[in-house]
Amino acid sequence: MVDLEGLAVRPEPFYKQAQASSYDRESHKGGEAWFANRDVGQYVRTETAENGRKEHVLADLKGPGAVTRFWSANPDRTNVARFFFDGEAAPRLELPLADLFKGLGTPFGPDFSYVSGTGGNLYFPIPYSTALKITVEEAAKPLRLYYEIGFRTYEAGARVETFDPKRAEKWEVAAARTARLLAIPAAAAASSVTSGGTWGSGEVQWLSANMTVAPGETVAFPWIEGEKAVFEWSARVLGTRESRDWNDPARAHTAYRFLVLEILCDGERSIETPLGDFFGSGPGVNPYENLFFTVDGTGRMTSRLLMPFAKSMDLRLTNRGQVPYTMEFLLRVGARRFTDRGYHLRAQWRTLSRETWPPFDTNVLDTTGEGKVVGTVYEISNDGLIWWGEGDQKISVDGEPFPSTFGTGTEDDYGYAYGDNRPFTRPYHAQTRVDGPASGGHISLNRWYVLDALPYSRSIRFDQEIWQWMPCKPTWSQVVYWYAAPGSPGP
């Protein structure tokens, strides 16, 4: 859950990440039905237990595997959730569904189980050796539940120990350590810090530079060579100011958007995004901290996404604005082996302005080779006060004919619900900016796939649906982050 080092390598054993959800099953028909939006009350099947109780099956999973995330918009205490492991007749976990997202009556606790922006979230590994069936009992009234359940399925032969809440003492220490690291995030471990000198094995060094970039020019950070990694790094634009003129080139949101970041690892284009957008802070400086990034009130933006390379890393900034900008950089670089399991960090930015009706899909990522998707940033500029959109995440892995991850709404994947307009920050997801009133102005969201990272061995396609029943014309800007094997396509 906090292993940033593990994100940068091929999983062993390999697994497929997928999702069970209440998406509208009409989508399978294609055509106009592809955008069907009745994403509620859709279940795998409904069963009647021996005592006559009615249970909706939310997920019927075959192992070896593990649940990695559970979200719901409307969990109720009157509906009991049950987890049946490995074909057992009795559930090992049985509790009111709402309590599952409040750290109540479970071994998960409030660090892993919570409500944010009216959305219930559970991030905790729930492994199973051969199977897991998750059901929710229907109480007095019909149950119209929104839900998403992310899960891994490991390759054949993987040995997985089944979750047992009665043996929580086995992992209490690890859970406590994980909770501390989620609350106070740290970069991937590097052995020792030196103040300069040679690059010996295991040594780590802080590198700093101030650079001024003239309009239309590109400047490069001093070349870094060797088998190394950037464990964390930060950037800040100096001398920005606020003013009443939105287009003032000295305003932070202008500077951080017009400075374009480009990073090459081992000579391959790996990252190309506006500077502020890379750190999930667009437009401008929106202070927050979660697992990957920290943005403070001074404009310093810090990344803890590990950037490994076998031979070299080249960091460049291009100024696409009208005035010069002065940058302050700080990088923590150290020796790190780049094995045949190693990946490069990738990131790309896309933006679009158009009417929201009729519904359509925007492509976030469409790439080949081998790698792992680990995060997205989603920014909306909305010139109206109405809700800027529904829309399901649709993720197809290795050429599958129908997405194995099919969401229930844009905000659902980002861990909140019903278009809630309150900012929040959690380790894996955040709504860092909401201008308002209502859903107008600028909105900035981010989501990190860590426990639920999405590996692929041949290809992956990640689409974001745009669906809005009240037509408007927002601008959407998206950053996607993934790790990829050397030689695979860049941004």
Side-chain angles (χ1 to χ4, degrees):
M1 293 183 69
V2 290
D3 182 12
L4 302 189
E5 179 98 7
L7 287 179
V9 297
R10 180 189 310 117
E12 286 187 358
F14 204 81
Y15 66 90
K16 179 179 179 179
Q17 175 74 23
Q19 182 173 272
S21 77
S22 57
Y23 74 92
D24 195 327
R25 274 45 171 179
E26 288 291 307
S27 301
H28 287 269
K29 296 179 180 178
E32 291 185 3
W34 178 247
F35 300 105
N37 196 46
R38 189 176 173 272
D39 299 323
V40 61
Q42 308 267 359
Y43 310 110
V44 175
R45 61 181 179 274
T46 299
E47 300 177 340
T48 302
E50 290 183 1
N51 63 359
R53 71 174 181 246
K54 187 177 181 181
E55 294 198 22
H56 299 296
V57 179
L58 308 187
D60 192 3
L61 312 176
K62 306 304 178 186
V67 167
T68 55
R69 171 184 179 258
F70 197 155
W71 168 92
S72 180
N74 57 336
D76 194 312
R77 292 204 83 257
T78 62
N79 302 110
V80 176
R82 296 180 176 87
F83 291 68
F84 298 86
F85 291 87
D86 300 339
E88 296 170 346
R92 293 193 184 189
L93 193 60
E94 181 176 5
L95 74 166
L97 182 61
D99 290 358
L100 190 68
F101 305 108
K102 295 180 181 178
L104 301 175
T106 74
F108 307 126
D111 297 295
F112 310 104
S113 169
Y114 53 82
V115 174
S116 60
T118 71
N121 293 268
L122 173 64
Y123 282 93
F124 199 90
I126 305 177
Y128 44 95
S129 177
T130 61
L132 173 60
K133 182 173 73 171
I134 303 173
T135 69
V136 172
E137 179 180 352
E138 182 163 297
K141 58 183 180 180
L143 179 61
R144 290 173 50 79
L145 185 69
Y146 294 90
Y147 70 92
E148 295 181 352
I149 301 173
F151 62 94
R152 298 179 175 190
T153 303
Y154 291 101
E155 59 190 4
R159 297 180 60 187
V160 174
E161 181 178 347
T162 298
F163 178 80
D164 188 350
K166 294 180 180 179
R167 303 182 65 188
E169 70 280 356
K170 288 190 64 176
W171 36 265
E172 280 179 342
V173 173
R177 174 183 175 275
T178 299
R180 288 194 300 271
L181 288 172
L182 289 173
I184 307 174
S191 51
S192 62
V193 178
T194 66
S195 59
T198 61
W199 290 99
S201 175
E203 290 185 347
V204 178
Q205 191 176 47
W206 286 100
L207 304 178
S208 62
N210 281 25
M211 304 184 300
T212 298
V213 195
E217 289 189 354
T218 298
V219 299
F221 191 85
W223 187 269
I224 300 172
E225 293 183 305
E227 192 178 19
K228 300 187 177 86
V230 176
F231 292 91
E232 65 180 302
W233 68 284
S234 64
R236 180 169 59 165
V237 183
L238 303 178
T240 61
R241 66 169 184 263
E242 293 307 308
S243 71
R244 294 191 177 192
D245 179 6
W246 178 263
N247 296 312
D248 184 344
R251 286 193 65 159
H253 65 236
T254 309
Y256 283 95
R257 174 61 61 84
F258 282 4
L259 286 164
V260 176
L261 172 71
E262 185 179 11
I263 295 178
L264 288 77
C265 292
D266 297 328
E268 298 181 0
R269 287 179 62 252
S270 295
I271 293 169
E272 188 172 1
T273 76
L275 183 65
D277 296 77
F278 176 81
F279 294 95
S281 185
V285 177
N286 307 309
Y288 78 98
E289 179 173 72
N290 57 16
L291 189 63
F292 285 173
F293 294 136
T294 299
V295 176
D296 70 23
T298 73
R300 180 176 300 282
M301 302 184 181
T302 300
S303 168
R304 287 174 287 275
L305 276 166
L306 186 71
M307 288 197 293
F309 44 92
K311 297 178 182 178
S312 65
M313 191 201 76
D314 182 11
L315 185 155
R316 307 169 184 171
L317 272 184
T318 299
N319 183 350
R320 297 187 180 172
Q322 299 174 348
V323 299
Y325 295 112
T326 298
M327 296 295 307
E328 179 183 81
F329 284 99
L330 188 63
L331 282 71
R332 189 162 67 100
V333 183
R336 180 186 180 276
R337 287 192 61 212
F338 196 93
T339 69
D340 58 1
R341 291 177 57 205
Y343 292 155
H344 291 144
L345 177 64
R346 305 271 205 245
Q348 72 181 21
W349 179 80
R350 288 180 173 179
T351 188
L352 175 70
S353 299
R354 61 168 281 185
E355 296 284 347
T356 57
W357 193 262
F360 62 96
D361 289 335
T362 63
N363 180 247
V364 179
L365 179 66
D366 188 3
T367 193
T368 57
E370 176 189 311
K372 185 190 303 181
V373 172
V374 298
T376 59
V377 166
Y378 197 36
E379 297 160 3
I380 303 95
S381 174
N382 187 12
D383 63 2
L385 302 184
I386 60 175
W387 171 230
W388 42 265
E390 269 298 320
D392 305 331
Q393 287 81 8
K394 304 169 182 177
I395 305 174
S396 301
V397 177
D398 293 335
E400 58 195 3
F402 191 86
S404 52
T405 294
F406 204 117
T408 58
T410 306
E411 75 273 41
D412 306 349
D413 185 62
Y414 289 95
Y416 63 119
Y418 301 119
D420 193 275
N421 290 315
R422 292 170 292 178
F424 65 87
T425 301
R426 293 288 183 172
Y428 298 123
H429 55 114
Q431 183 165 230
T432 61
R433 176 170 178 167
V434 188
D435 288 357
S439 298
H442 291 276
I443 298 96
S444 186
L445 310 165
N446 58 55
R447 162 91 151 87
W448 313 122
Y449 306 95
V450 181
L451 185 62
D452 53 346
L454 291 141
Y456 57 95
S457 58
R458 300 190 308 277
S459 65
I460 192 165
R461 182 179 178 91
F462 189 144
D463 289 337
Q464 170 65 59
E465 180 182 86
I466 305 296
W467 199 107
Q468 169 58 300
W469 60 93
M470 297 175 65
C472 56
K473 190 178 180 180
T475 293
W476 301 272
S477 300
Q478 298 167 312
V479 181
V480 60
Y481 308 79
W482 75 106
Y483 282 96
S488 58

